[in-house]
Amino acid sequence: MSETILKFCNIDKVFSADESVDFKALSQINLEIKKGDFIGLSGKSGSGKTTLLNIAGLIDPPSSGELFFRSINIRNISDNDLSLIRLKDIGFIFQTFNLLPLLSAIENVEYPLMLLNIPESERIERSRNALAKVGLENFMNYRPSQLSGGQRQRVAFARAIVKNPQVILADEPTANLDTKTSDEVFELLINLQKELKVTVILCSHDNELIAKTHRQIKISDGKIVGDSSEFKNE
């Protein structure tokens, strides 16, 4: 039986607009995510999917309820330990790539390993291997401004996988790409997920991409209104 990576138990998330008005972004989220799941998270703008992704990434704490990363209740650990889990075990892929413009491709990929105090020789080897996995072995010394949008997103993929994370969170990773490049980049994500057996949670407005994931979860008004795993288990 697959290990549970993330478990949401009655999670609510409330944002305070001012002293008198609260906005409930998530309501009573109960969700169990297994090792190796490839999840497509869909919903209209403002539905709460990005908030859920941020909670899964240990960026935002829930307002109430319990969140478990593997078997760890995040309420019971320090901020430093929380940051270490986020740095070591979670890879992030953003629609705007979030690459450091003055660093080369390999330096961008190497950066999280520096934060983990990995020795230089190991950092370089792992970064080279990660870039080779995404087909950029010949572009390692290029800066982001010298790369196409698809190539920059591939660098972001390499940066996400170089840590050997437990989870990859991808927030609209193809939104800024043309259709052909979007398809190529998404196919790369599918192949990486299969090869690395990593848990992936993909947030997208593109229903065609969502349909290619193994498990589709739909959010509306802060609540889960659809989960394809429920039908698969019937």
Side-chain angles (χ1 to χ4, degrees):
M1 190 172 180
S2 296
E3 176 190 3
T4 297
I5 295 294
L6 283 163
K7 188 174 182 180
F8 295 70
C9 299
N10 300 317
I11 293 289
D12 289 349
K13 182 62 180 179
V14 178
F15 294 101
S16 297
D18 56 45
E19 292 183 359
S20 60
V21 179
D22 288 338
F23 171 67
K24 199 166 193 178
L26 293 176
S27 177
Q28 292 297 288
I29 299 294
N30 289 286
L31 182 62
E32 193 164 344
I33 297 171
K34 302 284 190 180
K35 180 177 177 60
D37 273 353
F38 189 6
I39 293 173
L41 195 60
S42 66
K44 295 179 180 178
S45 294
S47 62
K49 59 186 186 298
T50 297
T51 302
L52 191 150
L53 209 65
N54 286 341
I55 289 177
L58 312 184
I59 296 172
D60 286 338
S63 300
S64 62
E66 305 292 333
L67 176 67
F68 295 85
F69 186 87
R70 303 177 83 174
S71 59
I72 301 169
N73 187 332
I74 67 160
R75 289 192 182 276
N76 298 333
I77 63 175
S78 67
D79 288 343
N80 285 341
D81 287 340
L82 200 63
S83 297
L84 185 60
I85 291 174
R86 190 165 54 239
L87 177 62
K88 183 180 178 182
D89 292 324
I90 303 176
F92 297 90
I93 302 171
F94 307 94
Q95 76 177 76
T96 52
F97 318 131
N98 283 18
L99 301 178
L100 298 171
L102 297 181
L103 300 185
S104 66
I106 192 168
E107 289 169 338
N108 266 284
V109 175
E110 184 185 359
Y111 186 69
L113 300 182
M114 293 178 64
L115 298 178
L116 288 167
N117 296 316
I118 303 295
E120 182 179 8
S121 59
E122 183 181 347
R123 290 200 313 261
I124 293 172
E125 181 181 3
R126 287 170 61 172
S127 298
R128 286 180 180 276
N129 289 339
L131 284 166
K133 283 183 185 296
V134 301
L136 290 181
E137 56 267 43
N138 295 324
F139 295 87
M140 294 188 183
N141 296 315
Y142 285 56
R143 290 186 179 180
S145 61
Q146 298 172 302
L147 300 172
S148 69
Q151 288 171 327
R152 278 178 274 172
Q153 193 57 292
R154 286 170 182 261
V155 175
F157 280 20
R159 182 182 57 191
I161 67 173
V162 75
K163 302 182 293 184
N164 300 318
Q166 298 289 321
V167 180
I168 290 177
L169 303 176
D171 190 5
E172 300 283 358
T174 62
N176 288 335
L177 306 175
D178 61 72
T179 302
K180 181 177 181 294
T181 305
S182 173
D183 290 343
E184 291 173 352
V185 165
F186 186 73
E187 191 65 29
L188 172 63
L189 182 59
I190 291 175
N191 292 335
L192 288 172
Q193 192 274 336
K194 287 179 181 177
E195 179 184 350
L196 303 174
K197 297 179 173 58
V198 65
T199 301
V200 173
I201 307 175
L202 166 77
C203 178
S204 180
H205 285 97
D206 189 330
N207 290 329
E208 290 186 9
L209 294 187
I210 292 292
K212 294 177 182 178
T213 61
H214 303 157
R215 178 182 175 190
Q216 296 86 46
I217 295 173
K218 186 174 182 180
I219 296 184
S220 179
D221 297 326
K223 298 179 180 179
I224 294 176
V225 295
D227 184 344
S228 64
S229 68
E230 295 175 4
F231 304 106
K232 291 175 183 176
N233 294 329
E234 286 181 353

